[in-house]
Amino acid sequence: MAAQPPPAPPAVEARFADLCKELGVGEGVAGEAAALLDEAKGALLGTPSVGGRLAKDAERLCFAFVLYCAVKLKGRKEGSRIRLCEILKGCKLKYDDFFKEMQQISLKIEKILESRYGRDWEGHLELKQLESLVNLLADASRFYRKAYNELFSSSTTDQEPGSATNTPDYFLFGWNLFLMLRSRSQELFKDLVSCIHGLVAVLAILLIHVPAKFRSFTIEGSSHLIKQSEKGADIIASLCHNYHTSEERLKEMMDKSHRAIEDFFGVKALSASKCKTENLDKIDTDGLMCFNGLIDEESFQLNLEKLEKLCDSNSWEWELDLKLFLCNDYIPSAEKSSGGSTNLGCSKRAFETLASPTKTIKNMLTVPCSPPSPVNGGSVKIVQMTPVTSAMTTAKWLREVISSLPDKPSSKLQQLLSSCDRDLTNDVTKRVSIVLEAIFPTKSAADRGGSIGLNCANAFDVPWAEARKMEASKLYYRVLEAICRAESQNSSVNNLTPLLSNERFHRCLIACSAELVLATHKTVIMMFPAVLESTGLTAFDLSKIIENFVRHEETLPRELKRHLNSLEEQLLESMAWEKGSSLYNSLIVARPSLASEINRLGLLAEPMPSLDELVERQNVLVEGLPATPSKKRAAAPDDNTDPRSPKRLCNESRNTVVERNLQTPPPKQSHIVSANLKAKCHPLQSTFASPTVSNPVGGNDKCADITVQIFFSKILKLAAIRIRNLCERIQYVEQTERVYNVFKQILDQQAALFFNRHIDQIILCCLYGVAKVCQLELSFREILNNYKSEPQCKPEVFLSIYVGTRNRNGILGSHHVDIITFYNEVFVPAAKPFLVSLIASGTRPEDKKNPNSQISGSPKPSPFPNLPDMSPKKVSSSHNVYVSPLRQTKKDLLLSPSSRSFYACIGEGTHAYQSPSKDLAAINSRLNYNGRRINTRINFDMVSDSVLAGSLGQTNGGSTSLDPAAAFSLPSKKRKPDT
């Protein structure tokens, strides 16, 4: 009898139905989810997935996304109670696994989702906001775990997490107390800085109530309570010092905590000075409160269970199980790889540490913890810069430098404003009030007839919004004064009136100030570019002010400079090219040949809404408004509009993860760069003036010419960095200059290729085109596989490229194609002349055999000498040879009389009376030597100044300045050493 074949595995639909039954999904929602799966499974499961995931991993992600869409977009109307955390648990997924892949999955079926749920389906899903909240709570939980372990002797918080039952009772009680405070305090709802203040308040409450025997320190001589008074250790002041919190704000948070505990547990707060417990020995009890029965043995377990049962079902956080953030298996981590659950790939946070191709250091910075204590022997403790330490450091700058400024223009700024053709002081102050009210509305959502949203200013409560408005206005006045001072010293500027009366300039400066305030507090609502939408600006508008903002605010913390650089790079690479960007209003003036294509695609921006319209939109009650332009009249000089052409608004949202470079452009370029050098001499008013206005400095140029030239030069800088990095990664460094030249020619002569697209799409096509012309063995697949390792890579860059088409009726439409289709159908016809010119210039492999093409033994100079060199830089495409500039501190040591004979430095011969060409030939012959190799490898990954000084016999008293950045600089590409 023949053996029976094994039963076939259940179909996809059957497995999905089993998942719905397991989760208890209602019939209506299950039917909707099944219909969506049937329509989308071909796109999600029928094509290879990026990243090489296993089929079962892709299926689980598909199930989770489809079920969440059905529950969120339709099930909520039917009263479905299935939460995202339950869906992920049923699919055996972690939060970061889910959020990391959702953008790519939604991209594949966006047309299906739009047809079923409308164009605003993405806003209703709220995935980006949920991801931001997950990251915020993960950062907060890591901070709490670390701080708790510093203060209390409980090692079990570092156990391998499997469930919350491994968490100590006091540790769990503190976290649940924090969650209870968040559910009752709108301030703790929105930003990381407020969360840290709440957690520090919880730690203070635990120090007061947890038995002293569980502390990891003693009061006397403790580094944790270093603030002492005659009455004892000052807990609040010490915690503020240790964790960079505001003492005033922490006391306010303590008061809120006391009221919440009284209301929730029904216990009365007592003055700590009246409580005679051993916990308060040698502690200054002035201003402290305690609660009898909060953590007593008799009532502790009951209170803990009461906290655990608390669930705020009316909050959008209901989608998450907040208790699980104490379990590392459920939170995103750049350093942890999954043990029990499947890890579908490296976390996005791993790339965020290298967020810019121009920098090899991002969050891998070190900061000293002060003060030195006897515990560490008096030495300065070096800790890694984390999101929490970054946020608290920048918040301290905002608190100590900006908040101390007056809340109105200084006397010097008032003098500058009143010296204009008419006194502009009143206009400036009224504008600040209106625009900041549009960004941080202080009227309640109920008063406006709205509801709290995830990326909506309606979620602001009045005290928090008022505080942020005050910080943003003070920062705005400070930078405005610095810019006015600098402009008044410009010999080309005779009058500040054109600049100070320019509406767009002021709004950009206010928006930039507000964005920095939001970035400082790390909010999970009003994420960029929401600040643009609230102020009526476009991405191109904001790109004009960022560099000036950084230049004129000298005290700006490093992390906030990085944030502005990140924004500008994101603006340059894609957002400024989107439909509705004011860039196109300048392009039709500076490049008239592009006007027909811009008008055909309807790319022009709408007029910037007036202040009156902002007031009407937000229902702001502000009296005595300055005269503002009306949208119905003719465009004002600073309205970058053209009434002859259709206009569109840009309403898409993007995140920012990369950092912009501030270096100079490559040499030997066309008129784009040479004109930019001339543009740098022009005052700021030329940048913000109407595109059709003649340059106020003189000449025949329009202001649009100057604006476009500056913008294109920044594009070239960014492209040069990315092209060089990608060419180094694929080991075709010699093609860098050719790829860059093709890109530059396209930007100069075929700029329409950039419309509605990402500059990386053009870079990838340029690289492949050059490889084809030069007959290199380089496939598009290999290019994309290397591009995926670039920090700025996003799947939609090569999976979804805009292509404009017209139907039979002549109506403009659009669809998106993959990068290979775009290359064949759009890029090649437009860029063919530039690629063909490479053949005429001799770029094929046989041309390299010409002995006269380059002097033997001399290295070819870098095609980008003015761009910043990565250190160490790989100088050979076939060998692991790296060159790093010698820092002055090391050169001084190496060139000392006792040690210079051991080394050969650049510019000095390896042998006496030998020419440099012979030196280079000798070096090349050693590098190319193929004989017996010594089986010893030297690790050059980390050689610090102290190590070098020690090897040369430097005494401890030597004065050598340490460069922490160099200690953490990484090779641009890691490869196995040649063997």
Side-chain angles (χ1 to χ4, degrees):
M1 183 177 178
Q4 294 292 333
V12 173
E13 293 81 358
R15 291 192 293 271
F16 184 71
D18 292 340
L19 174 64
C20 292
K21 291 180 181 179
E22 179 184 343
L23 295 176
V25 180
E27 292 184 2
V29 176
E32 173 67 20
L36 178 59
L37 177 65
D38 184 65
E39 193 173 354
K41 65 180 181 180
L44 296 180
L45 302 177
T47 57
S49 56
V50 177
R53 294 192 306 268
L54 298 175
K56 62 178 181 179
D57 296 334
E59 183 179 280
R60 289 188 288 112
L61 285 165
C62 173
F63 285 178
F65 181 75
V66 167
L67 186 54
Y68 178 73
C69 288
V71 170
K72 188 72 174 179
L73 300 178
K74 186 175 181 180
R76 290 292 181 263
K77 300 178 182 179
E78 301 178 1
S80 175
R81 304 289 295 175
I82 302 299
R83 303 161 63 188
L84 175 61
C85 58
E86 296 171 351
I87 295 174
L88 297 185
K89 184 177 181 181
C91 295
K92 300 179 181 179
L93 292 172
K94 294 165 54 180
Y95 284 132
D96 52 341
D97 290 334
F98 177 75
F99 288 120
K100 182 175 56 183
E101 303 294 339
M102 284 310 97
Q103 188 174 15
Q104 182 175 345
I105 292 178
S106 61
L107 190 66
K108 292 181 178 181
I109 60 171
E110 59 180 347
K111 295 297 182 182
I112 299 175
L113 294 173
E114 182 176 335
S115 64
R116 296 182 68 92
Y117 307 112
R119 300 185 62 180
D120 56 347
W121 63 269
E122 189 173 10
H124 291 313
L125 275 185
E126 300 173 336
L127 279 174
K128 293 181 180 179
Q129 292 78 14
L130 280 174
E131 182 181 12
S132 298
L133 178 63
V134 167
N135 291 334
L136 180 145
L137 291 175
D139 292 334
S141 66
R142 279 190 284 264
F143 165 81
Y144 174 66
R145 179 184 293 273
K146 181 176 182 295
Y148 183 92
N149 284 334
E150 290 175 350
L151 298 175
F152 299 97
S153 57
S154 178
S155 60
T156 52
T157 54
D158 294 325
Q159 290 180 4
E160 278 297 320
S163 65
T165 57
N166 290 333
T167 309
D169 285 347
Y170 295 127
F171 178 67
L172 184 59
F173 184 90
W175 179 253
N176 282 284
L177 181 61
F178 167 71
L179 296 182
M180 185 268 288
L181 296 177
R182 292 191 83 245
S183 68
R184 293 168 174 262
S185 175
Q186 285 292 318
E187 183 181 9
L188 287 172
F189 168 76
K190 56 186 62 63
D191 69 285
L192 181 60
V193 173
S194 296
C195 286
I196 298 305
H197 278 83
L199 284 170
V200 174
V202 168
L203 291 171
I205 293 173
L206 291 179
L207 282 174
I208 295 173
H209 292 87
V210 172
K213 63 182 180 180
F214 291 106
R215 294 174 186 162
S216 63
F217 61 93
T218 56
I219 301 296
E220 299 86 352
S222 171
S223 62
H224 300 293
L225 301 179
I226 63 172
K227 297 293 184 179
Q228 301 282 335
S229 67
E230 295 179 355
K231 298 181 180 180
D234 191 334
I235 290 181
I236 302 300
S238 298
L239 292 178
C240 288
H241 178 272
N242 294 343
Y243 302 114
H244 305 290
T245 54
S246 166
E247 187 168 347
E248 178 182 0
R249 193 171 177 184
L250 182 59
K251 289 180 179 179
E252 294 176 357
M253 195 67 68
M254 292 286 291
D255 292 337
K256 291 183 180 181
S257 304
H258 295 155
R259 291 194 296 270
I261 292 174
E262 285 181 331
D263 182 57
F264 185 76
F265 292 105
V267 295
K268 186 69 175 178
L270 302 175
S271 174
S273 59
K274 299 179 180 179
C275 299
K276 304 299 181 179
T277 63
E278 62 176 355
N279 292 356
L280 300 176
D281 289 345
K282 300 179 182 179
I283 290 179
D284 185 356
T285 57
D286 288 350
L288 299 182
M289 308 295 290
C290 65
F291 299 89
N292 290 329
L294 183 64
I295 306 186
D296 293 350
E297 293 183 4
E298 298 81 9
S299 57
F300 173 75
Q301 195 62 35
L302 181 63
N303 289 339
L304 178 59
E305 292 175 359
K306 189 175 181 180
L307 282 174
E308 289 180 325
K309 292 178 181 178
L310 178 65
C311 178
D312 185 10
S313 59
N314 296 323
S315 171
W316 62 285
E317 298 176 3
W318 182 78
E319 296 287 354
L320 310 174
D321 188 348
L322 303 185
K323 296 187 296 294
L324 291 179
F325 281 87
L326 292 187
C327 180
N328 290 341
D329 223 19
Y330 287 87
I331 62 176
S333 173
E335 301 172 354
K336 179 182 179 296
S337 60
S338 173
S341 62
T342 305
N343 189 9
L344 302 181
C346 53
S347 173
K348 180 181 179 181
R349 286 172 170 265
F351 292 118
E352 289 177 353
T353 58
L354 298 174
S356 171
T358 66
K359 302 284 184 181
T360 55
I361 343 171
K362 173 75 173 169
N363 288 329
M364 301 163 61
L365 302 170
T366 58
V367 293
C369 277
S370 60
S373 66
V375 176
N376 53 32
S379 61
V380 177
K381 182 182 177 182
I382 302 298
V383 298
Q384 185 179 18
M385 180 69 80
T386 66
V388 172
T389 56
S390 171
M392 301 311 294
T393 301
T394 53
K396 185 177 181 181
W397 166 82
L398 197 62
R399 182 172 65 249
E400 296 181 352
V401 177
I402 303 303
S403 295
S404 60
L405 298 174
D407 57 356
K408 59 182 180 180
S410 65
S411 58
K412 177 61 178 178
L413 181 56
Q414 291 185 29
Q415 179 183 352
L416 292 169
L417 294 172
S418 60
S419 65
C420 296
D421 295 347
R422 66 181 182 88
D423 191 349
L424 298 175
T425 305
N426 186 59
D427 290 359
V428 167
T429 55
K430 293 296 183 181
R431 181 187 295 108
V432 170
S433 177
I434 294 172
V435 177
L436 288 181
E437 181 69 22
I439 301 173
F440 304 104
T442 54
K443 294 190 66 178
S444 66
D447 294 339
R448 288 192 301 267
S451 59
I452 292 180
L454 300 187
N455 200 31
C456 176
N458 291 351
F460 292 142
D461 62 307
V462 175
W464 192 91
E466 288 288 1
R468 304 294 81 79
K469 283 172 61 178
M470 187 63 65
E471 292 168 346
S473 63
K474 292 178 178 181
L475 179 58
Y476 160 74
Y477 288 138
R478 177 184 175 95
V479 179
L480 177 62
E481 180 180 343
I483 290 177
C484 290
R485 289 174 181 268
E487 289 292 301
S488 62
Q489 296 174 2
N490 191 329
S491 59
S492 303
V493 178
N494 299 321
N495 190 353
L496 290 177
T497 303
L499 178 65
L500 293 179
S501 60
N502 189 291
E503 180 70 22
R504 197 175 298 271
F505 162 72
H506 284 287
R507 287 205 203 176
C508 288
L509 199 57
I510 295 171
C512 196
S513 302
E515 175 61 29
L516 284 183
V517 170
L518 289 168
T520 294
H521 292 271
K522 295 191 181 298
T523 59
V524 296
I525 54 179
M526 282 294 290
M527 296 185 300
F528 188 81
V531 68
L532 298 182
E533 299 164 2
S534 299
T535 55
L537 297 171
T538 72
F540 181 66
D541 295 331
L542 191 64
S543 69
K544 300 177 184 179
I545 199 64
I546 290 180
E547 188 172 351
N548 286 281
F549 199 105
V550 175
R551 184 186 305 124
H552 291 100
E553 181 45 64
E554 297 179 353
T555 67
L556 202 65
R558 177 175 50 192
E559 290 302 316
L560 291 184
K561 289 181 180 179
R562 286 198 181 96
H563 178 71
L564 287 180
N565 293 341
S566 300
L567 294 187
E568 185 163 18
E569 186 165 315
Q570 186 70 10
L571 299 176
L572 293 174
E573 69 182 11
S574 61
M575 293 184 67
W577 297 101
E578 291 174 354
K579 187 176 184 178
S581 172
S582 57
L583 167 65
Y584 298 110
N585 299 76
S586 296
L587 276 178
I588 60 173
V589 177
R591 305 291 178 88
S593 60
L594 298 174
S596 60
E597 183 68 8
I598 292 174
N599 290 330
R600 184 182 72 86
L601 298 175
L603 299 176
L604 290 176
E606 285 188 354
M608 183 176 64
S610 66
L611 292 178
D612 290 328
E613 291 172 314
L614 291 184
V615 172
E616 182 180 356
R617 182 189 304 174
Q618 293 293 332
N619 193 20
V620 184
L621 301 178
V622 180
E623 298 179 358
L625 299 181
T628 56
S630 173
K631 185 176 179 180
K632 296 181 180 179
R633 66 169 175 80
D638 60 317
D639 287 332
N640 294 346
T641 62
D642 186 344
R644 301 169 298 173
S645 305
K647 302 156 185 86
R648 297 290 188 273
L649 281 176
C650 176
N651 54 11
E652 297 182 12
S653 299
R654 300 292 177 90
N655 291 326
T656 59
V657 293
V658 289
E659 182 178 354
R660 170 191 163 270
N661 66 85
L662 296 171
Q663 289 75 28
T664 55
K668 299 185 293 183
Q669 306 303 337
S670 67
H671 69 277
I672 293 178
V673 177
S674 60
N676 177 56
L677 298 178
K678 180 176 66 174
K680 289 184 177 180
C681 303
H682 291 270
L684 190 59
Q685 69 185 58
S686 302
T687 305
F688 286 94
S690 173
T692 57
V693 172
S694 298
N695 184 8
V697 176
N700 299 324
D701 290 337
K702 300 289 185 181
C703 288
D705 297 320
I706 304 300
T707 303
V708 170
Q709 289 161 7
I710 295 174
F711 178 76
F712 276 17
S713 69
K714 293 178 180 179
I715 294 290
L716 290 176
K717 299 174 194 176
L718 179 61
I721 294 293
R722 294 186 175 182
I723 289 170
R724 186 180 66 182
N725 286 350
L726 192 55
C727 287
E728 289 179 352
R729 190 177 292 279
I730 63 176
Q731 297 187 353
Y732 281 105
V733 182
E734 64 277 3
Q735 303 300 331
T736 303
E737 187 173 10
R738 298 188 183 101
V739 176
Y740 174 81
N741 286 335
V742 173
F743 180 92
K744 185 268 301 178
Q745 288 178 300
I746 293 174
L747 182 64
D748 191 15
Q749 303 177 38
Q750 293 286 343
L753 275 180
F754 291 83
F755 294 175
N756 267 332
R757 298 189 180 108
H758 194 292
I759 68 168
D760 283 3
Q761 295 165 347
I762 311 301
I763 290 175
L764 294 171
C765 290
C766 289
L767 178 55
Y768 183 70
V770 169
K772 292 287 288 185
V773 169
C774 297
Q775 301 177 17
L776 304 177
E777 295 183 359
L778 183 63
S779 65
F780 231 134
R781 179 183 296 274
E782 184 177 355
I783 293 175
L784 293 181
N785 286 338
N786 284 277
Y787 175 72
K788 293 170 191 175
S789 300
E790 290 295 309
Q792 79 278 5
C793 173
K794 296 178 181 178
E796 62 267 25
V797 170
F798 50 86
L799 291 179
S800 180
I801 306 178
Y802 169 83
V803 177
T805 58
R806 286 189 181 273
N807 59 22
R808 296 179 180 178
N809 299 326
I811 300 177
L812 180 66
S814 66
H815 67 281
H816 292 75
V817 299
D818 59 61
I819 194 166
I820 296 179
T821 304
F822 169 75
Y823 175 85
N824 292 327
E825 297 181 0
V826 180
F827 180 82
V828 170
K832 186 176 180 180
F834 314 129
L835 296 173
V836 171
S837 65
L838 295 178
I839 302 178
S841 61
T843 60
R844 288 172 294 183
E846 54 265 26
D847 296 323
K848 300 178 184 179
K849 300 178 182 179
N850 185 356
N852 298 323
S853 61
Q854 186 176 334
I855 300 177
S856 176
S858 30
K860 183 178 180 180
S862 170
F864 305 109
N866 289 333
L867 290 176
D869 279 334
M870 306 290 282
S871 178
K873 178 182 179 182
K874 190 170 184 179
V875 296
S876 172
S877 60
S878 56
H879 297 83
N880 281 340
V881 179
Y882 292 87
V883 173
S884 181
L886 194 64
R887 291 198 300 276
Q888 189 63 40
T889 54
K890 291 184 179 180
K891 184 180 292 187
D892 293 341
L893 292 172
L894 294 178
L895 297 183
S896 61
S898 62
S899 59
R900 66 179 300 148
S901 60
F902 293 98
Y903 303 91
C905 297
I906 301 297
E908 183 179 3
T910 56
H911 294 83
Y913 310 107
Q914 182 167 282
S915 65
S917 61
K918 291 184 178 180
D919 285 331
L920 291 173
I923 293 173
N924 287 336
S925 65
R926 294 174 186 177
L927 292 176
N928 296 326
Y929 176 64
N930 293 323
R932 183 179 63 87
R933 298 188 180 185
I934 301 175
N935 190 21
T936 302
R937 297 174 180 174
I938 303 176
N939 183 6
F940 291 99
D941 291 343
M942 189 76 69
V943 181
S944 65
D945 294 273
S946 59
V947 174
L948 179 63
S951 65
L952 297 177
Q954 171 121 350
T955 61
N956 294 333
S959 59
T960 303
S961 61
L962 298 180
D963 183 4
F968 285 94
S969 57
L970 304 174
S972 59
K973 182 179 180 182
K974 293 184 178 180
R975 295 188 181 277
K976 289 184 177 182
D978 290 336
T979 55

